[in-house]
Amino acid sequence: MKKSEWSDRELEELLRLMPKIQDHRDPRDIYQNVSLKKRKTKSWMLPGIAAAAALFLFFILAPKLMDSTNYSHDKTQEQKSSGNQKMKIADKRDTSMIALQKDDPAVAKENSPKTVDKPELMSTNSTKTAIYDEEVGDGTVLTYWIPDPDVQILIPVSIIVPAAEDTSRLTLFNENMANLKEKEWGLSDFYPLDLTRELYEENNSINVDVPENHQYGLGSMEPIFINALINDISSNSISNKIILTTNGQPGIDFERFGKQENLDIVNKKNHAFFFYYPKGSDYPFLTPSEDSYKDINTAFNAMQTDKPVLGLKSSLLPLQPLNDVTVIDRTLYVSFKGHSDLKDNQLTSSSFEALLLTAKEFGLEKVIVKDSPITHIGSFDLSKENKVPVAPNLRTIQ
Amino acid sequence: MDSVFDELYQKYHHDVFQFLFYMVRNKEHAEDLVQEVYIRVFKSYQNFEGKSSEKTWLFSIARNVAIDFFRKQKGWKEKLLEKFDWSTNQVKDEYPIPEEITVQKEEILWIYKCLEFCTMDQRAVIILRYLQDLSIAETAKALGWTESKVKTTQHRSLKVLKKQMELFYEKEGLTSEKVRVER
C-alpha cells in the first residue's frame, strides 16, 4: 500500500487501524497512586510555612504563656504539644473581638461579657473554631471559600468584620478579600480575585466582571474558580444568579464549559463536615463534603471514614458510636450512651462542631445530647441545648 | 476501592489512556496523566450535570490535562514570555515508539510519526474522531467547540497528514532506492 498520494478516506482507514495502547497496571495500584499523588504535591512548601508560623507563634505566645494565671501548670506541661495550636485560635478569637470593640463602642459595650469566655475556654484547654450567634454582636460575618494547596477542595474560612453603615455586605466582602492570609493558614494563595462584583438589585443577581486577559478560564483553574464564585456568593448573599461578563461584554470563556453568561446559584445543602488538616498542623479545618446526603444519618455514617482522594479525614471518630439520632422540630437529639471513654479534648470538641455544622446543613437549629458521661466538651455544655454555628472556621485578618 | 473510581475505570479507563497516549506519545507520561484525570474528576464530579455524556466529559478533562502537561513542559520562562497559542503550536517529541506500533505494518508506523506534525488541537480531533470513533457532535462537545470548528480542524489535520505521508514516501522511497543501488 506504499504510495505517494493518499485520499482522505484512505488516511481515515489507516488511522482507524492504529493499535490500542493498553495501560497494564492493576486498577488498585492506579487508585492508590491517585490517592498518594494528591498528597505529594507541593510537599516542600508547607513545612516551611508551618515552621515560620510556629516561630511566629512562639514569639507572640511566649509572654502570654509566662503571664497566664488561668492555666494549671501541670496541665500546661501535659498538653504542651497541642496547646500552642489551641492558643492560636483562642488568641485569634480574642483579638477579633478586640478589633470589633475598638472599631465600635456600641459593640464593645454589648460584647464586654465575652471576655469571660476566655478563662472558660482556657480551663478546658480546647477551643471552638466556628462562629456562634453570641460572638457576632454587631459585626458582619464573611465566609470565603479558599482552595487547599493542591487545589482539590474549597474550604470555607470565616472572619468577623465591624459592620459599617452604608456599606453593603458585598462591598465588605470585596474590601476584605485582599487581607486574607491563606498561606499562613496552610491554604492556597487565592484571593484577591482579579474581578469586580456588583449587585443588580432589580433582579437579585450579582455581576462578576473579569478583565480581558483573565486566566480563570484555563483548564485547572476553571472548576475551582466557578465553584468559589458560586460558594462565595451563596454563603454571603441571597442572590440566586451570577451574571458573567468580560470587560463589560456578556460571558466569560471557559475551556471546558465554553462561553458562559450566567451561573445559577443552587443553594446545595445536606453536606457532611469532615476534617481537613493543613500540612504540619494538628488543628483541622471543618470542611463540607462535595456530596450531598439524603438524611443526617447517612451523612454521619459517611463522616466515620476518610475521603483519601480529597485529603479529608473522618470527623466523627471521637464521638462514635452515635446512638438514637432523631430529629424533632429542627432539633437534633443524639445519645452518647455507652461512650465511657468520651474525652474532653480539642479533637472531641472539633468533632462536636463537625456534628453541629452538619446538623445545620440539614436545616436544624440546635443539638441536644443525651446520656453523656461527661458534662462538657471544651466550652460546650452538654447538659444544655447547643445552637448550630453561624459559620465555620473563624480566622482573623488583623 | 472507591465505587466511582471503579465504575469510571471499568467504563472508560482504556479509552482515556489511549487518548492521552496518542496526545503525549509516551506511555509513562500517559500513565501519570490518566491519574491526574481521576484527581480532577473526583474534584468536580458533583458538577457534572449530564449536559454531555460522561465519556465526552472525561475526554474534555483529559485534553485539559494534556494541555497543562505541555504547558509545564515548556517551562516557566517561556510561559512568562509568551502567550501560548495551542491552535498553531507544534510540539515535537523524541520518545521511543512503543512496541504495539512498531510491530504494525509500515504505513501505521508512518502515520504515527506523521501525527507528531499535527498541532495539539488537530491531534485531539484525529484521536477522538478516528481512534475513539466519536461523531462530529460528540467531538465538538468533548473539545468545547462548534461542530464547524471540528470539521475545519479535521480537514486541516488530514491535510497535514497527507503532506507528511507524501514526504515520508519520498524520503523512504529514496532510501529504498539507495539501498537497492548499494546492493
Side-chain angles (χ1 to χ4, degrees):
Chain A
M1 199 173 150
K2 269 189 198 174
K3 49 195 286 184
S4 60
E5 283 188 17
W6 298 80
S7 69
D8 282 5
R9 185 172 289 277
E10 284 166 339
L11 282 174
E12 286 170 4
E13 278 170 15
L14 208 49
L15 286 164
R16 290 198 172 95
L17 293 174
M18 298 287 278
K20 298 262 180 222
I21 308 291
Q22 299 281 328
D23 183 357
H24 296 292
R25 294 172 300 166
D26 188 305
R28 279 169 298 190
D29 291 340
I30 298 171
Y31 183 72
Q32 183 85 2
N33 288 345
V34 169
S35 308
L36 289 174
K37 195 180 167 196
K38 199 202 106 353
R39 308 198 136 269
K40 271 183 197 165
T41 46
K42 293 183 185 171
S43 56
W44 53 272
M45 224 168 76
L46 280 173
I49 296 169
L55 204 60
F56 174 70
L57 279 172
F58 175 78
F59 284 113
I60 298 292
L61 296 176
K64 292 200 176 208
L65 282 168
M66 303 280 275
D67 294 342
S68 174
T69 51
N70 291 318
Y71 268 89
S72 142
H73 193 70
D74 290 346
K75 207 165 180 178
T76 311
Q77 287 291 337
E78 192 182 291
Q79 300 189 358
K80 205 187 215 169
S81 60
S82 58
N84 277 358
Q85 280 282 10
K86 293 162 196 162
M87 286 281 290
K88 175 182 174 185
I89 302 296
D91 187 53
K92 283 187 164 190
R93 182 174 289 264
D94 218 40
T95 316
S96 109
M97 298 316 296
I98 291 166
L100 276 175
Q101 289 161 9
K102 206 163 50 178
D103 284 10
D104 188 341
V107 177
K109 194 179 173 190
E110 191 180 318
N111 286 330
S112 54
K114 294 294 173 303
T115 48
V116 301
D117 280 353
K118 188 176 174 183
E120 192 189 342
L121 287 172
M122 293 306 189
S123 69
T124 58
N125 236 350
S126 61
T127 309
K128 291 174 176 178
T129 63
I131 300 173
Y132 296 82
D133 266 344
E134 60 272 21
E135 290 156 0
V136 179
D138 286 344
T140 299
V141 176
L142 300 172
T143 300
Y144 295 84
W145 292 75
I146 305 173
D148 71 309
D150 295 339
V151 199
Q152 300 295 308
I153 51 169
L154 285 165
I155 295 158
V157 175
S158 305
I159 59 172
I160 305 176
V161 296
E165 263 183 45
D166 301 329
T167 307
S168 72
R169 190 186 172 99
L170 187 64
T171 308
L172 285 173
F173 186 87
N174 290 336
E175 282 174 359
N176 286 284
M177 188 163 59
N179 302 328
L180 302 175
K181 300 171 181 172
E182 302 100 306
K183 286 200 166 184
E184 192 181 300
W185 300 331
L187 303 174
S188 263
D189 188 8
F190 189 64
Y191 294 94
L193 296 171
D194 186 13
L195 51 79
T196 59
R197 293 186 191 82
E198 196 185 341
L199 179 66
Y200 287 172
E201 278 176 16
E202 63 277 11
N203 55 4
N204 194 29
S205 61
I206 287 182
N207 171 223
V208 170
D209 186 58
V210 295
E212 203 78 62
N213 59 349
H214 76 97
Q215 301 289 309
Y216 301 124
L218 295 178
S220 53
M221 270 302 288
E222 189 181 311
I224 215 82
F225 171 70
I226 292 177
N227 283 343
L229 271 189
I230 292 175
N231 289 357
D232 278 348
I233 289 173
S234 167
S235 296
N236 298 289
S237 111
I238 51 163
S239 297
N240 51 21
K241 192 172 211 166
I242 303 173
I243 295 168
L244 301 171
T245 54
T246 304
N247 199 20
Q249 299 303 308
I252 295 179
D253 279 321
F254 294 102
E255 265 185 12
R256 185 192 308 168
F257 299 116
K259 192 173 192 175
Q260 296 290 324
E261 295 191 357
N262 303 303
L263 292 172
D264 287 329
I265 299 173
V266 182
N267 202 359
K268 285 186 195 164
K269 284 283 178 189
N270 297 10
H271 299 104
F273 273 75
F274 288 79
F275 287 166
Y276 172 78
Y277 289 91
K279 287 197 177 74
S281 170
D282 294 333
Y283 212 94
F285 281 101
L286 297 172
T287 309
S289 61
E290 290 177 332
D291 302 327
S292 293
Y293 297 91
K294 64 179 166 109
D295 56 49
I296 199 160
N297 272 305
T298 321
F300 286 161
N301 280 338
M303 287 157 73
Q304 291 171 18
T305 47
D306 297 346
K307 283 186 170 289
V309 172
L310 298 173
L312 297 177
K313 292 281 183 192
S314 153
S315 56
L316 273 194
L317 291 181
L319 297 180
Q320 274 182 282
L322 289 176
N323 302 309
D324 305 333
V325 176
T326 43
V327 173
I328 303 168
D329 292 340
R330 294 185 180 272
T331 303
L332 175 75
Y333 293 83
V334 59
S335 166
F336 289 168
K337 196 176 179 181
H339 204 327
S340 55
D341 58 347
L342 189 67
K343 292 185 176 62
D344 175 12
N345 59 21
Q346 183 60 52
L347 190 64
T348 316
S349 174
S350 295
S351 189
F352 190 64
E353 291 198 288
L355 182 145
L356 292 174
L357 285 161
T358 305
K360 186 182 180 189
E361 282 285 311
F362 285 84
L364 307 179
E365 289 167 358
K366 54 198 175 188
V367 173
I368 295 179
V369 174
K370 297 176 289 181
D371 313 315
S372 174
I374 54 177
T375 55
H376 287 77
I377 299 175
S379 51
F380 294 107
D381 185 347
L382 300 185
S383 63
K384 297 176 182 165
E385 62 183 35
N386 281 285
K387 279 191 182 172
V388 298
V390 175
N393 302 318
L394 170 66
R395 294 293 184 273
T396 58
I397 53 171
Q398 304 301 319
Chain B
M1 208 162 36
D2 189 280
S3 61
V4 174
F5 173 83
D6 202 29
E7 192 188 336
L8 292 175
Y9 180 88
Q10 299 297 340
K11 284 188 184 164
Y12 310 113
H13 183 83
H14 293 295
D15 287 343
V16 173
F17 183 79
Q18 167 104 330
F19 173 82
L20 286 167
F21 167 76
Y22 279 105
M23 286 297 281
V24 301
R25 305 163 69 78
N26 176 282
K27 266 186 164 181
E28 284 73 29
H29 287 325
E31 285 175 3
D32 285 342
L33 296 182
V34 77
Q35 289 170 184
E36 177 62 24
V37 170
Y38 282 116
I39 289 174
R40 294 195 190 181
V41 165
F42 287 127
K43 190 171 65 185
S44 53
Y45 195 68
Q46 83 284 1
N47 293 330
F48 176 65
E49 293 171 343
K51 283 180 183 169
S52 58
S53 77
E54 252 179 355
K55 192 172 179 178
T56 54
W57 181 61
L58 280 170
F59 280 135
S60 76
I61 295 174
R63 174 181 168 255
N64 288 333
V65 166
I67 287 174
D68 287 353
F69 166 78
F70 282 115
R71 277 201 184 110
K72 278 179 198 157
Q73 298 277 90
K74 280 185 72 70
W76 286 102
K77 198 179 171 189
E78 281 172 281
K79 206 156 73 175
L80 289 172
L81 290 176
E82 64 164 313
K83 194 168 180 258
F84 202 39
D85 184 357
W86 291 100
S87 60
T88 55
N89 185 65
Q90 293 185 358
V91 184
K92 300 291 181 293
D93 58 71
E94 290 173 357
Y95 295 126
I97 301 171
E99 200 187 343
E100 288 94 321
I101 290 169
T102 54
V103 298
Q104 302 287 326
K105 58 181 179 179
E106 206 170 9
E107 286 81 1
I108 298 284
L109 184 61
W110 282 11
I111 203 154
Y112 176 77
K113 286 182 175 171
C114 290
L115 271 172
E116 185 188 336
F117 294 91
C118 289
T119 64
M120 295 295 295
D121 283 345
Q122 289 168 350
R123 214 182 290 176
V125 168
I126 291 285
I127 300 167
L128 293 176
R129 289 282 292 125
Y130 303 117
L131 278 77
Q132 299 293 340
D133 223 13
L134 296 195
S135 66
I136 294 272
E138 287 171 324
T139 307
K141 280 213 173 97
L143 299 176
W145 297 352
T146 59
E147 291 188 17
S148 65
K149 185 173 175 184
V150 173
K151 285 179 193 165
T152 314
T153 311
Q154 178 180 310
H155 177 71
R156 283 185 188 150
S157 50
L158 287 173
K159 210 169 155 186
V160 170
L161 287 178
K162 196 181 288 184
K163 185 181 158 201
Q164 292 301 327
M165 285 293 274
E166 285 164 14
L167 286 173
F168 249 102
Y169 175 79
E170 278 177 27
K171 200 174 137 198
E172 290 290 308
L174 287 175
T175 313
S176 48
E177 272 179 29
K178 199 180 165 194
V179 171
R180 223 176 290 139
V181 169
E182 279 172 6
R183 274 178 191 164

